């Protein structure tokens, strides 16, 4: 039976190709000084930087900048941004980019309200900050769902650590989702982002704990089917508006709270993958693509088989007449074909230059202070290490 | 192609069987004086009135009451509530009931901020009120979606008129959705409410104008399938929690903005039905059940057939191998079996004691000042009158 739950999502979303014209009016509601946060400069290549600056100028805002946010954003970058906010009296932070940029921006928004100067204190729970600066987002990659959720993930490269950060106010106040801003996303990032969307559905809902609400289970499958249908289209035809729009809205809804109403969110696969990208700085979605099929194979048993088969039948075209066990195996095989043939991702960690030397430590860290990962099948460090070895 | 859109829904929903304990903390955020609005007293029979009063007392609130809100709530009742708000300096209005009670409460919340004393001025656009008192809802019927949307419908019995009222702030700040509060809803109201949920999906999205977003079209179908599956269960076993919970969450999501992101909302069927319940005070959902199949039959042609057939195939078990035209006819037939056999509603307006004497006037009023109802097929008063006659 589903659990009681609270649903509340206050992000105002402007979706579509002609919506950025509203950025100035939305920004000016928050004040005069903005910190503009972005990544490696792709937003300049596609003309988005100029377009955003034009809106900020129209709003009469003073703009401070934090460029260079890394994929798997570093806590030191967050600290740099927070220091600017404090020194300059920033009113609002504006993320223009993908999940890494938005996650960093959320952490900056919180750390700006922290009397200390290291965001890692907040992320590790040493300090509690109940408030943050307002957050506005212009999304350029369909993947993490950070544009409409209450969390982010920050990496501490000194410690090889990568930790999630959550808070009820750590949500974009306003998000601009223009599918045309993802036309320039290359095949590899489109594929990785698409796997990330699917992984959110798997991790926080579909393969999470036992609770189910029938309508939502089927809506989870619709988000998954959306990705299965449109990720190959977007790779094949990067400027296909329908494909990019469906992927973008799927990204937001995979993780904005609706699909997991009343369901425990375990996020087992994410916890496992975070160790890989913490140690090796690989693309999160690519790590997930390698891990998910092996994880499903590892947890496959008589009790998990029906749901894995259901995924196959309802999302991946598996024949419904197969037995639960054979249907589940066919579902995993179909996922592998999707990830590694259709979407063109590498299938093994060794393909990414990763060997087994850190596996034991990574498995231990993945299981955290509880010493286990609770989920539809609870995993010990030993289990996680075995899954890593299957991925080699 | 889908249109650009804004998605924003600020209602905080407490969903589940043990959530009403949070009513006191939520209410006390808004002040000390509450106007409690409810209907015919069923909330006293099921013990909900006492439970709500207990929470309001716990919050130390002074409670004023407006009982007796009618189904198809009257504008005079709204005016009565608004007068109490002004006289007593009410801080927040609390609706405990179904869609009629919530709609009346929304209109009261707005009229309380109006310098005039007649809500009909606002509803007809003669006056504009940009603000309203905070609104809190405890839902007892899964049907109208008013618990999470921005509108309501008010009837003027003096004028035989029934008009919708919309406004970006006319939304419950907090809604309590406890499926057990719908256990006592009888078979007739469960059936009518279920048809209303389906009608919202048809009217504002599925059979609305041409735009489509693939993911959402399929999610609309999931809401429809949820009703098709669980309405009979709830009628057969009124205290089935899963059935009541799925219907309740379906009700909210049918009309809270998500399903029609980027789609024109025509609401043709609702505009037609409103004339019937304005003239004859029948149950809205029952009127819709009679009208929908005839409306679909009337608009069936080569261009509309594929979507009507798709409804049949994806939601109602119609054979996919049929031609578009035959599949569409089979879909309408399946809807009639659902409404009039499975859910047990009467199939003709004459069964409700309605004859054709007002049809011409009702058809003219349905088409409003534009003189037509725009939708997937635009209807003139002559068309609407023909549909009424098909319903006799």
């Amino acid at each position: 039976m589903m659990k009681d739950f609270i649903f509340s999502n206050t992000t105002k979303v402007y979706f579509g190709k002609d919506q950025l014209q509203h950025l100035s009016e939305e920004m000016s509601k928050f004040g005069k000084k903005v910190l503009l946060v972005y990544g490696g400069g792709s937003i300049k290549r596609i003309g988005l930087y100029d377009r955003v600056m034009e809106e900020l100028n129209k709003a009469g805002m003073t703009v401070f900048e934090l460029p260079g946010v890394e994929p798997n954003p570093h806590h030191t970058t967050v600290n740099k941004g927070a220091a600017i906010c404090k020194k300059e009296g920033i009113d609002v932070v504006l993320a223009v980019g993908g999940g890494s940029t938005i996650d960093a921006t959320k952490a900056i928004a919180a750390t700006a309200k922290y009397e200390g100067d290291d965001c890692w204190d907040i992320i590790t729970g040493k300090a509690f900050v109940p408030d943050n600066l307002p957050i506005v987002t212009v999304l350029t990659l369909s993947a993490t769902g950070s544009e409409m959720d209450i969390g982010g993930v920050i990496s501490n490269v000194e410690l090889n650590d990568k930790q999630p950060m959550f808070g009820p106010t750590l949500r974009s106040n306003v998000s601009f989702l223009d599918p045309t801003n993802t036309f320039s996303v290359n095949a590899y990032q489109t594929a990785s982002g698409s796997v990330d969307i699917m992984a959110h559905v798997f991790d926080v809902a579909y393969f999470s704990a036992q609770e189910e609400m029938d309508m939502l289970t089927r809506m989870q499958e619709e988000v998954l089917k959306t990705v299965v249908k449109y990720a190959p289209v977007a790779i094949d035809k990067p400027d296909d508006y329908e494909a990019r729009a469906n992927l973008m809205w799927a990204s937001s809804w995979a993780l904005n709270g609706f699909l997991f109403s009343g369901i425990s969110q375990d996020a087992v696969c994410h916890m496992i993958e975070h160790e890989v990208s913490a140690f090796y700085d690989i693309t999160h979605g690519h790590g997930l693509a390698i891990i998910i099929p092996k994880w499903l194979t590892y947890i496959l048993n008589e009790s998990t088989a029906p749901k894995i088969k259901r995924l196959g039948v309802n999302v991946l075209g598996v024949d419904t007449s197969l037995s639960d066990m054979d249907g589940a195996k066919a579902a995993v095989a179909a996922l592998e074909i999707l990830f590694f043939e259709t979407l063109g991702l590498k299938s093994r960690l060794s393909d990414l230059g990763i060997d087994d030397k850190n596996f034991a430590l990574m498995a231990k860290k993945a299981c955290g202070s509880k010493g286990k990962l609770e989920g539809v099948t609870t995993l010990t460090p030993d289990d996680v290490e075995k899954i890593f070895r299957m991925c080699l």
Side-chain angles (χ1 to χ4, degrees), chain A residues 19-20 36 73-74 78 101 104-105 109 121 132 141 165 180 240 254 297 314 328 341 351 364 366-367:
Chain A
Q19 295 284 34
L20 204 63
L36 171 62
H74 297 182
V78 170
T101 297
T105 300
D121 295 346
N132 49 258
L141 180 69
M165 175 180 192
T180 68
D240 186 297
T297 301
N314 289 357
E341 296 182 20
D351 295 330
K364 189 164 175 288
C367 291

Side-chain angles (χ1 to χ4, degrees), chain A residues 44-311:
Chain A
K44 293 194 175 169
R45 270 200 311 282
I46 65 173
L48 182 57
Y49 174 89
D50 290 341
R51 186 69 193 81
V52 165
M53 289 300 280
E54 191 186 312
E55 286 291 319
L56 297 176
N57 290 336
K58 195 165 34 152
M61 301 190 84
T62 309
V63 183
F64 299 82
E65 297 192 30
L66 181 72
V69 173
E70 311 81 6
N72 303 314
H74 297 182
H75 80 293
T76 46
T77 305
V78 170
N79 291 342
K80 219 162 96 181
I84 299 173
C85 291
K86 289 176 181 174
K87 180 166 172 246
E88 307 294 349
I90 295 291
D91 299 309
V92 50
V93 278
L94 172 62
V96 182
S100 298
T101 297
I102 303 170
D103 286 2
T105 300
K106 288 178 174 178
I108 290 167
T111 310
K113 295 275 191 172
Y114 174 44
E115 57 187 16
D117 53 13
D118 188 359
C119 69
W120 204 248
D121 295 346
I122 308 173
I123 291 162
T124 55
K126 207 179 111 186
F128 174 70
V129 179
D131 196 15
N132 49 258
L133 289 176
I135 300 158
V136 178
T137 294
V138 178
L139 185 66
T140 62
L141 180 69
S142 304
T144 73
S146 192
E147 64 275 13
M148 213 177 167
D149 78 1
I150 55 163
V153 182
I154 302 297
S155 291
N156 185 321
V157 287
E158 293 154 21
L159 305 176
N160 279 340
D161 208 355
K162 183 173 176 178
Q163 292 291 340
M165 175 180 192
F166 299 105
T169 65
L170 273 185
R171 196 190 287 282
S172 291
N173 298 64
V174 189
S175 277
F176 288 84
L177 274 54
D178 179 347
T180 68
N181 284 334
T182 64
F183 283 179
S184 64
V185 175
N186 65 28
Y188 176 69
Q189 290 296 346
T190 300
S192 300
S194 297
V195 174
D196 196 19
I197 299 171
M198 293 183 74
H200 291 146
V201 178
F202 292 157
D203 244 7
V204 301
Y206 202 74
F207 291 121
S208 207
Q210 312 303 333
E211 307 89 3
E212 260 192 43
M213 187 172 194
D214 187 56
M215 179 175 82
L216 297 182
T217 306
R218 287 183 286 108
M219 288 203 166
Q220 291 155 23
E221 290 168 347
E222 295 302 352
V223 171
L224 294 170
K225 282 155 76 177
T226 300
V227 179
V228 171
K229 176 174 177 179
Y230 285 112
V233 177
I235 288 172
D236 189 46
K237 222 182 128 210
D239 61 352
D240 186 297
Y241 187 83
E242 294 292 320
R244 293 295 192 181
N246 274 279
L247 287 174
M248 194 168 238
W249 210 209
S251 149
S252 300
W253 284 83
L255 208 53
N256 74 356
F258 171 54
L259 287 189
F260 48 87
S261 306
I263 299 168
S264 302
Q265 296 110 53
D266 299 318
V268 169
C269 248
H270 271 73
M271 298 314 287
I272 297 175
E273 196 290 324
H274 282 173
E275 296 308 318
V276 183
S277 45
F279 274 77
Y280 296 101
D281 202 22
I282 65 164
T283 301
H284 173 56
H286 196 175
L288 286 165
I290 296 171
I291 290 166
I292 287 170
K294 302 304 181 200
W295 167 64
L296 287 176
T297 301
Y298 190 82
I299 66 167
L300 176 58
N301 58 36
E302 272 186 21
S303 118
T304 57
K307 191 69 179 277
I308 302 175
K309 179 195 168 189
R310 178 179 165 155
L311 168 77

